[in-house]
Amino acid sequence: MDNTTIDYVIEQDTIIVDKNDKKDTIIIANDFIVLKEDSSLDFHIEKVEYWMKQPRGIRGKQGGDAYNGLFCQFEGGHSILDILDINNKQHITTLELEYNSDYHCNNADFSNTFYDLQDEFPLLYSSQQDRYARCIIVDRIVKRDGNYDLETVQKIYLPYDKEEPLQHYPDAVLDNENRFIYVYAGRSVEFCLYKFRLPKIEEGEVVQLREEDILSRWAIFDNPARYRQGSKMIGDFIITLEGRSDIKMRIIDLENHRYKLIDLTSDLGAKWEPEDIFVIDGEIFMASGATGIYKIELSDD
């Protein structure tokens, strides 16, 4: 692999491929497939509306995901977990965990795998990234005597190479259907994605992914993210949230190497720092860093 630092001045190769009975063009730059912006990509937001408040936290609200109508959101990396009933707009409980200042959770995803078939929730994967943490924590949510608890069953550590954009505050999103992890990272001039297989729990309490485990890699150069937040795999698309006061949503179509950027601040009046995106009964919700949970309404066209 060429580990040259990616920049706007890069050597590119153009590959013409046959796809769906038509010619297509793929741009390759330093082993990355370059994603192109395509505003015609099918995904239209009608409005974003306030749904419910979050419980008051002692640390910043961060990544989370929902299962069976219950939304689980971390605070302070991996130190607090709030469980909310989204349909009934109720706070269920708050779990206080051990605080680690190296952790910062931008994204959390439930898998489709249960540690025990009697468990109420499948395994929860949370990206814990800071300058040095850079791991994915796999937790089991258990209920004993009516009380929830969290048990860490695995930690997945990402490769580290000082010349590779993967080192810059990586976050991971699950492809549960195909059992892959997509890690997105990069500096202020690039948005890079890396595909890994999803390790099995049977592989041990600690799994170290290496550079040779990267299956594919993609990059965006012309419209990079300043602040990357949470994400979700919905169908064939990866949907990421970005920004703090300038809130954006990026729809990524890896199969057709394209993306669409939606400005939630200018176009829809969003005024909160986004943290993560989740789905309940086919409806899409977004969680903020403090101001509440929001529902996204999609248009029919």
Side-chain angles (χ1 to χ4, degrees):
M1 172 191 170
D2 179 5
N3 279 327
T4 305
T5 301
I6 296 177
D7 205 341
Y8 287 102
V9 181
I10 51 179
E11 183 177 350
Q12 295 187 347
D13 296 319
T14 301
I15 301 175
I16 307 298
V17 297
D18 286 319
K19 185 175 180 181
N20 299 328
D21 298 325
K22 65 178 182 180
K23 297 291 184 180
D24 200 1
T25 303
I26 299 177
I27 305 297
I28 306 294
N30 297 343
D31 294 337
F32 286 80
I33 298 174
V34 179
L35 299 177
K36 299 170 289 186
E37 187 165 14
D38 184 354
S39 60
S40 68
L41 197 157
D42 261 351
F43 197 97
H44 305 280
I45 297 177
E46 186 70 27
K47 66 178 179 178
V48 177
E49 64 175 348
Y50 179 82
W51 182 255
M52 66 176 289
K53 68 178 182 179
Q54 296 156 303
R56 184 175 180 179
I58 60 174
R59 298 190 176 93
K61 306 289 186 183
Q62 295 176 1
D65 198 13
Y67 180 78
N68 199 25
L70 298 181
F71 175 55
C72 301
Q73 184 177 23
F74 285 100
E75 290 183 29
H78 195 264
S79 59
I80 291 174
L81 183 71
D82 297 313
I83 302 180
L84 310 178
D85 181 338
I86 296 298
N87 292 323
N88 295 307
K89 302 183 180 182
Q90 293 178 346
H91 172 233
I92 303 299
T93 190
T94 294
L95 309 182
E96 294 191 13
L97 314 169
E98 183 178 354
Y99 178 63
N100 185 330
S101 60
D102 287 338
Y103 289 156
H104 185 98
C105 177
N106 276 351
N107 191 70
D109 279 337
F110 279 110
S111 70
N112 57 6
T113 301
F114 290 82
Y115 188 85
D116 187 297
L117 294 180
Q118 303 303 314
D119 288 351
E120 181 178 349
F121 294 92
L123 292 171
L124 180 61
Y125 287 66
S126 61
S127 301
Q128 301 295 339
Q129 53 90 341
D130 211 325
R131 184 62 178 173
Y132 303 107
R134 309 180 66 261
C135 70
I136 302 163
I137 298 179
V138 187
D139 288 311
R140 175 193 182 194
I141 301 176
V142 295
K143 195 173 187 180
R144 298 188 180 95
D145 300 324
N147 297 315
Y148 287 103
D149 196 8
L150 204 69
E151 296 179 354
T152 296
V153 297
Q154 189 177 68
K155 290 186 179 181
I156 304 169
Y157 288 91
L158 298 171
Y160 183 86
D161 185 323
K162 65 181 181 179
E163 299 298 332
E164 179 70 42
L166 179 59
Q167 71 158 315
H168 289 268
Y169 303 99
D171 293 295
V173 58
L174 295 186
D175 177 356
N176 284 320
E177 182 177 350
N178 300 298
R179 294 196 60 79
F180 293 120
I181 300 177
Y182 290 93
V183 177
Y184 51 102
R187 297 167 286 249
S188 60
V189 296
E190 66 221 354
F191 184 111
C192 298
L193 293 105
Y194 302 80
K195 180 180 179 180
F196 297 89
R197 69 173 183 84
L198 180 64
K200 297 179 180 179
I201 295 300
E202 292 78 12
E203 294 180 47
E205 295 181 1
V206 177
V207 175
Q208 175 66 64
L209 296 178
R210 305 188 184 281
E211 188 178 339
E212 53 265 33
D213 295 322
I214 298 172
L215 301 175
S216 300
R217 62 193 86 196
W218 299 263
I220 296 170
F221 299 110
D222 55 344
N223 200 345
R226 176 59 178 167
Y227 296 104
R228 286 169 294 276
Q229 305 282 3
S231 60
K232 188 70 177 175
M233 190 112 189
I234 300 179
D236 296 327
F237 299 133
I238 295 176
I239 302 178
T240 67
L241 297 172
E242 301 164 17
R244 288 183 177 175
S245 58
D246 55 333
I247 307 163
K248 294 179 173 59
M249 175 183 285
R250 193 185 301 270
I251 317 300
I252 300 173
D253 178 2
L254 296 179
E255 178 68 21
N256 297 294
H257 44 87
R258 58 181 182 161
Y259 72 93
K260 178 178 183 177
L261 199 64
I262 300 173
D263 192 325
L264 300 182
T265 303
S266 299
D267 298 337
L268 295 161
K271 298 178 180 178
W272 36 267
E273 180 179 356
E275 291 297 334
D276 213 343
I277 184 170
F278 60 99
V279 178
I280 293 180
D281 298 330
E283 295 184 310
I284 302 175
F285 294 85
M286 290 189 291
S288 76
T291 61
I293 308 295
Y294 296 79
K295 183 179 178 181
I296 300 176
E297 289 193 13
L298 302 180
S299 64
D300 295 327
D301 53 18

